[in-house]
Amino acid sequence: MNKIVLPPEASTPANWPEGLTRVPYWVFQDQSVYAEEQRKIFQGPNWHYLALEVELAEPGDFLTTHIGDTPVIVTHDTDNEIYAFENRCAHRGALICLENRGKHRKDFSCVYHAWNYDPQGNLTGIAFKDGIKGKGGMPDSFKMEQHGPRKLRIAIVHGLIFGSFSEDVPSIEEYLGEEILNHIERVLGGRKAVVLGRFTQVLPNNWKLYMENVKDSYHASILHLFFTTFELNRLSMKGGIIVDESGGHHVSYSAIDREAEKDVDYAKQQLRSESEYKLADPTLLESFDEYQDGCTLQILSVFPTFVLQQIQNAIAVRQIVPRAVDRTDLNWTYLGFADDTREQRLTRLKQGNLVGPAGYISMEDGCVGGFVQRGIAGASEDQAVLEMGGAEANSSESRVTEASVRGFWKAYRANMGI
Amino acid sequence: MHANSLQYITKAQADYARCIDDDRLEEWPSLFHGPCLYKITTASNYRDGLEAGIVFANSRGMLTDRVSALREANIYERQSYRHILGLPSILSEDGAKVKSETPFMVARILQDGDTSIYATGRYFDVYEIVDGVAQLHERTVVCDSSRIDTLLALPL
C-alpha cells in the first residue's frame, strides 16, 4: 500500500503538459508529491472544513479532526468563540487529545507528561515544572508562552467552521467569492442544522481522484444508473455548473424541466442508463419542496477538500481527508434542520439511501477512484484526458463538460507552483 | 422466558445469514414480517441517538428495491460475505414479541479472492414468535466501527 512511485525524469512537475486538458498520472502516485501537498495545500493559504457550528454548540464542547495529515483540536471556549489548534503537544509531540468529541472540557492534558493546555491551545501548565524539593524541573529560561501547538485561523460561514494554518489566506468571503457563498447560503443560511448521522467511507485511492469525481458532472448520469432512471439528474435537465475564478470551487446544479424529459439524446447514445427499472416502494423519492426553486440537486465543492450536498432533501457535508498516497477518508455528516416536521425528517432518512457508503447514487463513487488508481498503476508517464466541453475552466449551462475538473487542476497547480 | 424463544431465534438467525451468504438476496425481503424496519448504523451513532442509517428501510418494498438496485443498477466489484454469528441474547419478552441482541462478524470475499473482516457488530432485533417460528419485524445492524471500506453493497 505504501509503495513509492517516483515520477519519471521526463515528467517532473516543471514538465506538466501545457493547458488544463491533460493530467499526468504520477500526480496520483508519487510520495513526494503527497508530502508537498501537505505543505503547500493543507498547511498553505487555503481554508479547510473542520466541523459544523452545531457540533460545538456549547462552551466546553470539543472535537478532533484532520487537515490533511495534521491532527487538529477544535473547541468552543467560555468566551463563546471557536478555536482550533494542532493536536500535538509542544513538549515531545504526542497527541494532546485522543477522543473524537466531547463536552464540558476546561483544559487538555497530554497523557505523556501532563503538559496542560487551555481550550485556546495555550500551554498553561507543566508537570514538575519547578522540580521536586528544589531539584530537577525546567530551567528558568523556559517560557511557557513561547511554546504551544500551532493555532489556526477560524472562519465561520452559515454554520460551517473552516480553519487555516496560514496567515496569508484571504478572508473566507474573498476566498469563496459571492457566487459560492450564495449557494452555501441557499442550503444552510439562517437555519439550525441537526446532525442525523456520521459515517466514514475509506476510499482506496488518492484524494484528488475523489475531488475530480465530485466535480465531474459528465459521469453522473452515466455511472449512476439509479440517478438517471429516476430523473434526478439527466444531463438534459435544466441546470449547469459554476466554476469560480480560482477554478478550485464549483457548483453543479439541476432543476426539473419536464419538457426536456422527452429529449432523445440519451436514447441515441445507447448508454447503459437506458435500462428499465421500477421501484417497489417509490416513497423513497417523494420529496418536499425545501427551497422553492425547483432545484433538485446542488453539489458544491470548496478547494481543496469540502463538499456540500443537496440531493432532493438529502443534505450532507463531506470532508475529504488524505491518509496516504492511495488511501482517503471520506467523512459524511448527514443533516436535517431543527424545524423539520416528523414527516420531513423521515423523508431525509429515506433519501439517505441515495448517498453515503451504500448510496444508490454514490456507492460507485467509492470504488471508481480505486479503479483509476489500479488502472494507472503501470502508467505514471501517461496522462488523463480532460477535453469534454473544451479546454477552459469556466461556468457553463451544459453539464456535459469537465470544466470544473479542469478548474480543480488550475487551482491545484497554482497552489503547488506547477 | 419462553423456553423455546432462543431456539426459534437461533434458527431465524441462521436462515438469515445463509440467505445472504448463499447469494439468495431475492429472498432476503421475505425474511422480514409485519411493518418491517431495517437499518444499518454505527455504534457511535447508535450511542448518540442519531437516526440516520447507511441503509434505512421501513418497508419490505424498500428492501426489494435495494436488491433490484444491486442486481440491475449499481456498479461494484463482485463480492460475497461470510456471516459468523454469536449466540443471541434475549433482551426482553412481551407475549410473543421478543427483543434480542446477536453479535456478528462478516468477512467480505472479493472476486480476486482478497478476504477481509469487513464488519463486526450487533443485530438488535424484534421478533414475533408465531407457531414456533421467530418472524423478524425489525433489525438494527449496529457496526462497531464507523469506517466502511470502499462501499457497502450487500446487506449485513
Side-chain angles (χ1 to χ4, degrees):
Chain A
M1 291 295 278
N2 293 316
K3 69 185 168 188
I4 295 174
V5 180
L6 292 172
E9 288 300 319
S11 298
T12 52
N15 291 331
W16 192 296
E18 277 295 306
L20 298 172
T21 61
R22 293 292 183 276
V23 179
Y25 289 136
W26 52 256
V27 79
F28 303 113
Q29 302 170 315
D30 180 56
Q31 188 65 47
S32 64
V33 170
Y34 182 88
E36 194 146 315
E37 287 166 353
Q38 296 299 324
R39 287 190 295 275
K40 291 185 170 171
I41 293 177
F42 294 99
Q43 307 205 7
N46 292 303
W47 287 105
H48 305 276
Y49 170 78
L50 298 175
L52 295 159
E53 220 175 356
V54 291
E55 294 179 288
L56 297 164
E58 291 164 15
D61 290 355
F62 70 95
L63 56 81
T64 54
T65 183
H66 287 84
I67 294 181
D69 284 342
T70 309
V72 170
I73 303 174
V74 192
T75 66
H76 183 159
D77 200 5
T78 46
D79 63 355
N80 260 325
E81 296 288 328
I82 301 293
Y83 294 89
F85 50 96
E86 196 176 1
N87 189 2
R88 173 179 59 86
C89 184
H91 178 212
R92 300 262 288 276
L95 291 169
I96 298 167
C97 179
L98 302 174
E99 293 144 272
N100 291 331
R101 59 189 67 241
K103 301 184 79 64
H104 313 299
R105 185 60 73 91
K106 293 185 179 70
D107 58 2
F108 295 86
S109 185
C110 178
V111 293
Y112 202 171
H113 303 89
W115 284 35
N116 206 62
Y117 301 89
D118 70 17
Q120 301 184 19
N122 298 307
L123 178 60
T124 53
I126 293 177
F128 305 119
K129 181 167 176 288
D130 301 322
I132 294 174
K133 292 181 181 168
K135 293 188 174 147
M138 296 292 280
D140 291 340
S141 60
F142 184 85
K143 304 290 178 217
M144 287 203 293
E145 58 274 17
Q146 291 170 2
H147 297 263
R150 281 182 294 171
K151 295 177 181 178
L152 279 78
R153 286 179 64 188
I154 293 290
I156 300 176
V157 180
H158 301 300
L160 305 171
I161 303 171
F162 289 87
S164 180
F165 282 110
S166 169
E167 288 300 320
D168 304 324
V169 67
S171 73
I172 192 80
E173 290 77 15
E174 193 186 330
Y175 183 79
L176 295 173
E178 199 180 337
E179 258 186 320
I180 300 296
L181 271 171
N182 288 344
H183 283 81
I184 294 175
E185 184 177 18
R186 174 182 168 272
V187 179
L188 300 175
R191 312 177 75 188
K192 190 179 177 200
V194 175
V195 173
L196 301 182
R198 300 185 186 92
F199 306 101
T200 296
Q201 196 172 356
V202 181
L203 306 176
N205 54 263
N206 186 269
W207 67 277
K208 301 186 293 299
L209 288 170
Y210 185 75
M211 292 313 294
E212 278 195 316
N213 175 274
V214 163
K215 289 161 179 287
D216 176 2
S217 50
Y218 172 35
H219 86 281
S221 57
I222 301 169
L223 177 66
H224 307 307
L225 174 58
F226 198 90
F227 227 159
T228 305
T229 309
F230 294 98
E231 284 142 21
L232 281 165
N233 178 35
R234 285 180 180 276
L235 290 179
S236 53
M237 284 176 85
K238 284 191 295 188
I241 60 161
I242 298 165
V243 185
D244 86 309
E245 208 175 301
S246 76
H249 321 311
H250 101 292
V251 181
S252 174
Y253 60 96
S254 64
I256 295 160
D257 184 352
R258 297 289 172 210
E259 283 307 299
E261 285 179 5
K262 295 162 191 151
D263 207 311
V264 292
D265 284 355
Y266 266 79
K268 279 188 202 157
Q269 293 287 325
Q270 297 279 309
L271 297 179
R272 189 177 62 82
S273 313
E274 276 306 302
S275 68
E276 287 276 317
Y277 185 49
K278 295 276 177 283
L279 284 181
D281 186 349
T283 64
L284 175 75
L285 297 173
E286 280 174 7
S287 51
F288 57 96
D289 191 6
E290 191 161 8
Y291 298 103
Q292 282 95 45
D293 57 7
C295 195
T296 55
L297 173 145
Q298 178 187 300
I299 304 293
L300 180 151
S301 69
V302 173
F303 188 84
T305 47
F306 172 75
V307 179
L308 170 64
Q309 156 217 302
Q310 175 233 332
I311 297 173
Q312 297 199 351
N313 304 115
I315 317 293
V317 296
R318 310 179 201 164
Q319 178 197 35
I320 292 86
V321 181
R323 299 297 295 253
V325 165
D326 58 359
R327 197 168 157 87
T328 302
D329 278 0
L330 171 57
N331 294 325
W332 295 84
T333 306
Y334 295 9
L335 299 181
F337 294 97
D339 58 359
D340 285 348
T341 65
R342 190 58 220 165
E343 290 73 27
Q344 288 172 336
R345 187 60 60 81
L346 184 61
T347 297
R348 295 196 204 280
L349 297 181
K350 285 185 175 187
Q351 291 184 359
N353 285 293
L354 298 172
V355 299
Y360 286 135
I361 53 173
S362 69
M363 82 167 70
E364 289 91 358
D365 296 329
C367 61
V368 78
F371 296 165
V372 176
Q373 194 82 39
R374 283 148 62 187
I376 64 176
S380 56
E381 290 172 66
D382 218 319
Q383 301 159 353
V385 175
L386 291 175
E387 294 195 39
M388 190 58 66
E392 305 300 318
N394 299 330
S395 299
S396 152
E397 283 179 15
S398 168
R399 288 183 299 142
V400 193
T401 177
E402 290 165 322
S404 41
V405 184
R406 288 188 290 272
F408 173 79
W409 292 110
K410 181 180 158 188
Y412 177 85
R413 288 167 64 183
N415 268 265
M416 295 286 282
I418 300 177
Chain B
M1 191 177 91
H2 193 286
N4 292 321
S5 294
L6 195 61
Q7 186 188 336
Y8 301 148
I9 288 172
T10 304
K11 180 183 183 325
Q13 301 276 17
D15 290 346
Y16 182 100
R18 284 186 71 223
C19 176
I20 294 171
D21 294 355
D22 292 352
D23 192 29
R24 289 182 281 113
L25 294 184
E26 282 71 14
E27 296 170 31
W28 173 63
S30 69
L31 299 177
F32 288 81
H33 297 79
C36 177
L37 181 72
Y38 176 78
K39 184 163 114 174
I40 302 177
T41 187
T42 69
S44 131
N45 286 327
Y46 187 76
R47 185 190 57 231
D48 295 345
L50 302 182
E51 297 177 279
I54 300 170
V55 173
F56 177 94
N58 65 351
S59 71
R60 264 195 303 280
M62 286 180 77
L63 298 180
T64 303
D65 291 335
R66 183 55 70 173
V67 176
S68 309
L70 291 174
R71 296 293 197 212
E72 299 175 43
N74 289 124
I75 307 297
Y76 56 98
E77 282 184 272
R78 194 177 305 155
Q79 53 189 260
S80 63
Y81 288 164
R82 181 65 58 199
H83 281 71
I84 304 298
L85 303 184
L87 295 175
S89 297
I90 307 291
L91 301 179
S92 69
E93 228 170 332
D94 179 11
K97 282 273 171 71
V98 184
K99 290 186 178 178
S100 69
E101 175 186 334
T102 307
F104 67 84
M105 185 176 279
V106 172
R108 182 176 64 182
I109 302 94
L110 295 174
Q111 59 176 347
D112 65 359
D114 189 31
T115 303
S116 59
I117 294 178
Y118 176 65
T120 65
R122 295 165 289 170
Y123 293 137
F124 286 100
D125 295 335
V126 178
Y127 288 97
E128 187 176 7
I129 310 291
V130 180
D131 299 332
V133 176
Q135 297 185 339
L136 185 58
H137 282 215
E138 292 181 21
R139 167 157 289 183
T140 304
V141 183
V142 179
C143 297
D144 293 325
S145 169
S146 298
R147 297 163 70 82
I148 302 289
D149 181 55
T150 310
L151 52 79
L152 190 150
L154 310 178
L156 289 170

